[in-house]
Amino acid sequence: TEISKDLLIEFLNSLIPEANIEDLAFCNVEQIAHTEESRRAFFDILCRNSNNEYILVEMQRKSQEHFQDRILFYTSLLIQNQMTTVQRAYRKMKKEMKQRQVEPLDYPDWNTSWLYHMKHIYVVCFLGYTMFKEYPETYRGDVLRMDKKHHVIFGDALQEIYLEMPKFRLPLSQCDTLEKRFLYVLNNMEVLDRLPKELNNQLFQRMKEIASLSNLSADQMIAYHRSMMEDYAYYDTINTTFKKGE
């Protein structure tokens, strides 16, 4: 939300400094595919920086089969949206020139005006489970297009970051970067009655204030309890299945 935008900017810059985020504009979290038969996508957080680069943030608490493919589907919609944005701008320009009765020598085709030049798309996924079990000491996975043989980055227009929160077990004394301190607070928010002196600054005080249940609005409180009830229902289903031996 706009209330926590400053925190989101600080955190995303700690994760992806190359994005150099100075400001964010929140986008519609519903993206519609370009054919009637295709599915809609509902994002957790979708925003753009001042360079019109997309930043998608997803929270996945439980393991889901084909989660990586779902992220790929989401990003494909954002890629297509870059093309349609150029198409809309071209049509608007053409309409305005026609209204002014201006006839250019040649209209550029909207396909060639895009030329497949993609703006960066950054995806940050918070995982409440372990995705890469073969790397127990690595909590962060960075996924890029890469040449398999030479291990050279082939393209960086799409960058995916997977944060496996159960693997983040660093004590505060070893959290020597802003990214690690953010993750430490996120992982320990429920047990931190007071912020340690290392984190007792305006940034993390603000973070704890926003996260505190006592400061939630009525709608946010309802959403919180609804989320907890979904968790209870899920575990009850698993427990019932286990008891029945299914």
Side-chain angles (χ1 to χ4, degrees):
T1 65
E2 291 290 338
I3 297 176
S4 56
K5 184 169 75 169
D6 54 340
L7 281 174
L8 184 60
I9 290 174
E10 289 276 0
F11 181 57
L12 290 176
N13 275 326
S14 73
L15 285 175
I16 39 177
E18 59 271 27
N20 193 25
I21 303 169
E22 296 179 359
D23 193 16
L24 285 176
F26 290 96
C27 305
N28 185 355
V29 294
E30 180 183 3
Q31 295 288 316
I32 303 174
H34 295 274
T35 62
E36 293 183 358
E37 296 80 11
S38 299
R39 293 187 58 181
R40 296 185 179 191
F42 294 88
F43 304 143
D44 289 338
I45 299 175
L46 178 64
C47 46
R48 282 185 176 185
N49 63 13
S50 51
N51 294 322
N52 278 327
E53 297 171 330
Y54 280 118
I55 299 106
L56 170 61
V57 181
E58 286 289 313
M59 279 75 76
Q60 184 69 25
R61 281 183 289 181
K62 302 179 184 68
S63 178
Q64 181 186 53
E65 191 177 14
H66 309 307
F67 175 70
Q68 300 96 311
D69 294 336
R70 177 157 67 90
I71 294 299
L72 185 61
F73 169 69
Y74 285 179
T75 56
S76 71
L77 297 181
L78 299 178
I79 292 170
Q80 291 180 66
N81 192 53
Q82 293 189 28
M83 179 183 67
T84 54
T85 298
V86 172
Q87 183 181 13
R88 286 193 298 267
Y90 170 73
R91 288 175 176 171
K92 181 180 178 182
M93 177 198 74
K94 193 172 181 179
K95 182 179 179 181
E96 290 176 351
M97 296 185 79
K98 187 175 181 179
Q99 289 174 345
R100 298 201 310 265
Q101 297 183 339
V102 176
E103 289 294 336
L105 292 176
D106 186 25
Y107 282 117
D109 182 76
W110 68 266
N111 279 308
T112 58
S113 64
W114 185 49
L115 292 176
Y116 299 98
H117 176 65
M118 280 178 53
K119 294 279 189 179
H120 280 87
I121 297 174
Y122 302 99
V123 184
V124 180
C125 298
F126 291 88
L127 307 179
Y129 62 95
T130 298
M131 175 181 284
F132 304 108
K133 294 181 173 61
E134 60 271 31
Y135 307 114
E137 301 302 319
T138 304
Y139 68 87
R140 171 174 171 162
D142 287 81
V143 179
L144 293 166
R145 295 173 66 201
M146 181 172 290
D147 180 271
K148 184 176 181 180
K149 181 178 180 180
H150 301 289
H151 303 284
V152 176
I153 294 175
F154 186 71
D156 62 352
L158 174 60
Q159 181 176 346
E160 301 167 46
I161 298 172
Y162 294 88
L163 298 168
E164 299 171 271
M165 299 305 289
K167 286 184 181 179
F168 188 85
R169 297 183 291 270
L170 290 178
L172 181 56
S173 59
Q174 295 181 22
C175 295
D176 52 357
T177 65
L178 186 58
E179 172 192 335
K180 292 176 183 178
R181 288 193 286 272
F182 262 115
L183 295 178
Y184 177 87
V185 173
L186 287 174
N187 247 5
N188 295 278
M189 187 68 72
E190 294 181 0
V191 298
L192 286 177
D193 294 328
R194 290 185 300 175
L195 288 173
K197 61 180 181 179
E198 296 90 340
L199 301 174
N200 195 18
N201 57 44
Q202 187 175 0
L203 179 66
F204 290 106
Q205 286 173 355
R206 174 79 170 145
M207 184 175 177
K208 195 172 190 306
E209 176 186 347
I210 291 174
S212 174
L213 288 179
S214 61
N215 290 307
L216 292 181
S217 67
D219 288 342
Q220 289 172 324
M221 185 66 77
I222 291 172
Y224 171 79
H225 286 295
R226 183 179 296 161
S227 174
M228 295 298 294
M229 292 302 294
E230 288 175 356
D231 280 352
Y232 296 151
Y234 173 80
Y235 286 119
D236 184 57
T237 301
I238 296 298
N239 187 49
T240 301
T241 302
F242 177 80
K243 286 182 177 179
K244 289 182 177 180
E246 297 178 1

